[in-house]
Amino acid sequence: MNVWIVNHYAIPPSMGGLVRHYYFSKYLQKKGHSVKIFTSSKIHNTDINMIRDKSLYREEMEDGVEYTFVKSRDYKGNGMDRVINMMDLPFKTWKVMKRFYKKEKPDVIYTSSPDLFVALFALLFGRKHKIPVVVEVRDLWPESIVEYNGMSRMNPIIQVLYQLEKWIYVHADQLIFTMPGGKEYICDKGWTKKVNINKVNHVNNGVDLAEFEENKKLYNLENSQIANDNAFKVVYMGSIRKVNNLQTLVDAAKELKNQDIHFYIYGDGTEKDMLEDECRKYSLNVKFEGRVEKKYIPYILSNADLNIINVQGAGLNKYGCSWNKLFEYMASEKPILCNLPVNYDLIREKKLGIVKRFANGKEYAEEITKFRQLTSEEYGEYCQRLKECAQEYDYQILTNKIERILKKAIDSSKR
């Protein structure tokens, strides 16, 4: 197959990495397929723009995968510049795909939201040129805008976005949801008369186990104390924003201030400075280590005793979650403590740790202490289950699912 992947935010691992499509590309290529990724030149959450001249696009081999960066506007945060970026990029991506189409027609286009506009244009391009299109949903837009930003579902803009979302689902040859409850979401929306539920697939995020093990051996943080810290080590890895609700974890650290339990927080965000000041004020055993390159994550997580998923709840949780970090946590073979019960919960289903909503810092601290008090046998049982589960979500395995879905889209388009 000749596969085009179209994703606004397909960032190469060396640049910060929203890496799902990098790994699928890597392993599809190993299976003999040709893959090209079309993505924005503006690298999300960085100051990098791959195109600073007037070029429309730039081709680069990044980390062994072929990327075509499409010229796009710089932005910071979620202001008007980002909105313009989202509106402008689909038109430019169309132009770039048109140029490449003249050289070689793809067998299938695999496009990934949450950017509905890029997904729409990829789907329109496919319909125009009779190319099957697989649409992937990584975030439920505009539903997530309603849930997290408090916008009314009756807002005219939201209503238009719902209709756009529905149209995309109706006309895609195959649908992939990263969250397990994709079919349930379509049923809840009342769209089953228009959307063929049989073309809805679920492919979770995952982890590249071979790369994880290699990086764990090759890359360690020499300036970090985590490896030589003999305390019970609790690690949080990810963004530090309001939606991540890390104040609750700091409250737990206050309760455990006089115990031999140390917290390591890796990441950055709008709440970081405020929380760091609070930890200094109360002399808490909390270290803010900042953002780290992806290659260091295996070393960090493998030196933890307990890994934390800490997020703010929302109505979308009924459809399940597919946190990237969850699968790296599995690969580290260290128990997981999550503050947010969700439907289709792998942590509870596979007994990988504890999932519980905490009323306050004291309850949170009590659960952390329970892990510290496990016997070596009990702790080892957690580790073994994590190891076995990580093997199910190795990107080499998940790529087989993606390959079958792409072939299904191609076959159905021939009928």
Side-chain angles (χ1 to χ4, degrees):
M1 290 184 294
N2 182 17
V3 182
W4 284 4
I5 296 177
V6 184
N7 175 6
H8 194 146
Y9 304 109
I11 303 171
S14 61
M15 297 181 187
L18 294 167
V19 294
R20 176 179 174 88
H21 300 106
Y22 161 76
Y23 289 118
F24 288 149
S25 299
K26 172 182 172 180
Y27 288 114
L28 282 170
Q29 287 176 166
K30 287 191 174 183
K31 292 166 75 68
H33 304 295
S34 173
V35 185
K36 178 189 288 290
I37 296 177
F38 295 87
T39 190
S40 170
S41 67
K42 171 63 175 71
I43 306 302
H44 189 53
N45 283 336
T46 75
D47 294 325
I48 301 170
N49 195 318
M50 296 296 290
I51 302 176
R52 292 294 181 186
D53 57 21
K54 295 182 179 180
S55 302
L56 177 60
Y57 66 92
R58 174 179 169 182
E59 293 182 89
E60 292 281 347
M61 289 296 293
E62 294 285 346
D63 304 310
V65 170
E66 185 178 346
Y67 286 81
T68 299
F69 295 99
V70 179
K71 185 177 179 63
S72 54
R73 185 186 185 95
D74 285 328
Y75 63 86
K76 287 188 177 181
N78 293 312
M80 185 53 65
D81 283 340
R82 185 176 184 191
V83 174
I84 296 172
N85 174 286
M86 293 173 68
M87 298 299 290
D88 181 52
L89 183 67
F91 292 95
K92 290 179 178 174
T93 302
W94 180 290
K95 290 180 182 178
V96 174
M97 290 194 297
K98 186 177 179 181
R99 292 192 186 183
F100 281 93
Y101 177 80
K102 291 178 180 178
K103 302 175 186 177
E104 186 177 13
K105 178 181 176 180
D107 296 306
V108 62
I109 296 174
Y110 169 18
T111 185
S112 188
S113 71
D115 189 333
L116 290 178
F117 304 109
V118 167
L120 170 66
F121 272 63
L123 186 53
L124 290 172
F125 187 92
R127 287 168 64 82
K128 176 179 173 64
H129 296 288
K130 295 181 171 54
I131 305 165
V133 179
V134 175
V135 175
E136 178 178 86
V137 182
R138 303 192 326 275
D139 193 0
L140 294 169
W141 274 26
E143 196 68 21
S144 58
I145 301 174
V146 171
E147 289 288 341
Y148 289 113
N149 296 328
M151 292 185 71
S152 168
R153 286 184 174 82
M154 302 311 296
N155 182 293
I157 296 174
I158 295 297
Q159 285 293 307
V160 170
L161 290 175
Y162 278 135
Q163 291 306 309
L164 174 57
E165 177 191 23
K166 179 182 176 182
W167 189 92
I168 290 171
Y169 292 175
V170 169
H171 291 95
D173 291 278
Q174 290 289 315
L175 287 166
I176 300 170
F177 285 81
T178 59
M179 67 291 297
K183 290 184 179 180
E184 184 181 356
Y185 174 74
I186 290 172
C187 291
D188 286 349
K189 286 295 177 190
W191 294 345
T192 51
K193 289 184 179 180
K194 294 287 187 178
V195 180
N196 180 0
I197 211 75
N198 294 319
K199 69 181 181 183
V200 178
N201 305 274
H202 167 232
V203 182
N204 241 318
N205 287 315
V207 60
D208 188 326
L209 287 178
E211 180 185 272
F212 190 95
E213 290 301 317
E214 182 181 11
N215 286 349
K216 184 167 69 174
K217 295 174 184 176
L218 293 178
Y219 301 106
N220 61 60
L221 287 171
E222 295 179 357
N223 60 343
S224 175
Q225 300 176 19
I226 191 166
N228 299 315
D229 189 345
N230 293 321
F232 186 85
K233 292 164 287 191
V234 178
V235 167
Y236 169 84
M237 180 80 65
S239 297
I240 308 173
R241 298 175 295 135
K242 188 174 182 179
V243 70
N244 304 107
N245 197 25
L246 281 190
Q247 180 65 58
T248 58
L249 189 61
V250 170
D251 291 342
K254 290 177 184 176
E255 298 290 334
L256 298 168
K257 178 179 177 180
N258 297 318
Q259 296 194 36
D260 195 22
I261 298 176
H262 293 172
F263 294 78
Y264 288 82
I265 296 177
Y266 293 86
D268 203 355
T270 53
E271 301 277 295
K272 178 177 178 289
D273 291 342
M274 180 270 290
L275 292 174
E276 196 167 9
D277 287 343
E278 184 172 347
C279 290
R280 277 196 294 263
K281 177 181 177 181
Y282 290 98
S283 301
L284 304 182
N285 292 319
V286 181
K287 299 179 186 297
F288 286 80
E289 301 285 79
R291 291 184 68 176
V292 295
E293 291 183 57
K294 180 177 172 57
K295 64 185 181 182
Y296 295 113
I297 290 176
Y299 172 83
I300 294 165
L301 297 181
S302 299
N303 276 292
D305 295 301
L306 177 65
N307 288 316
I308 297 289
I309 292 177
N310 198 98
V311 288
Q312 185 173 305
L316 297 177
N317 301 329
K318 70 176 292 189
Y319 306 114
C321 295
S322 187
W323 299 299
N324 282 302
K325 71 179 72 176
L326 172 61
F327 304 96
E328 291 174 317
Y329 283 11
M330 289 180 189
S332 74
E333 300 174 23
K334 300 299 174 70
I336 302 165
L337 178 59
C338 177
N339 75 329
L340 181 64
V342 299
N343 288 355
Y344 310 97
D345 196 321
L346 277 174
I347 301 172
R348 287 187 294 188
E349 178 189 334
K350 303 288 188 177
K351 298 180 181 178
L352 309 177
I354 292 175
V355 181
K356 184 176 179 180
R357 196 182 298 276
F358 306 114
N360 49 49
K362 183 177 180 181
E363 285 189 8
Y364 206 156
E366 287 172 354
E367 294 300 327
I368 292 171
T369 302
K370 286 180 183 178
F371 281 99
R372 188 189 181 199
Q373 294 172 343
L374 291 174
T375 66
S376 58
E377 182 179 355
E378 291 169 331
Y379 191 88
E381 289 172 356
Y382 272 117
C383 298
Q384 182 60 32
R385 288 193 293 269
L386 284 150
K387 181 178 180 179
E388 292 170 359
C389 194
Q391 292 167 357
E392 295 180 40
Y393 294 95
D394 189 333
Y395 269 116
Q396 292 194 58
I397 302 298
L398 297 180
T399 299
N400 294 334
K401 292 185 177 182
I402 292 293
E403 182 185 40
R404 286 195 293 270
I405 295 166
L406 296 177
K407 286 182 176 179
K408 198 184 333 182
I410 294 170
D411 292 343
S412 64
S413 70
K414 293 177 181 177
R415 291 172 192 159

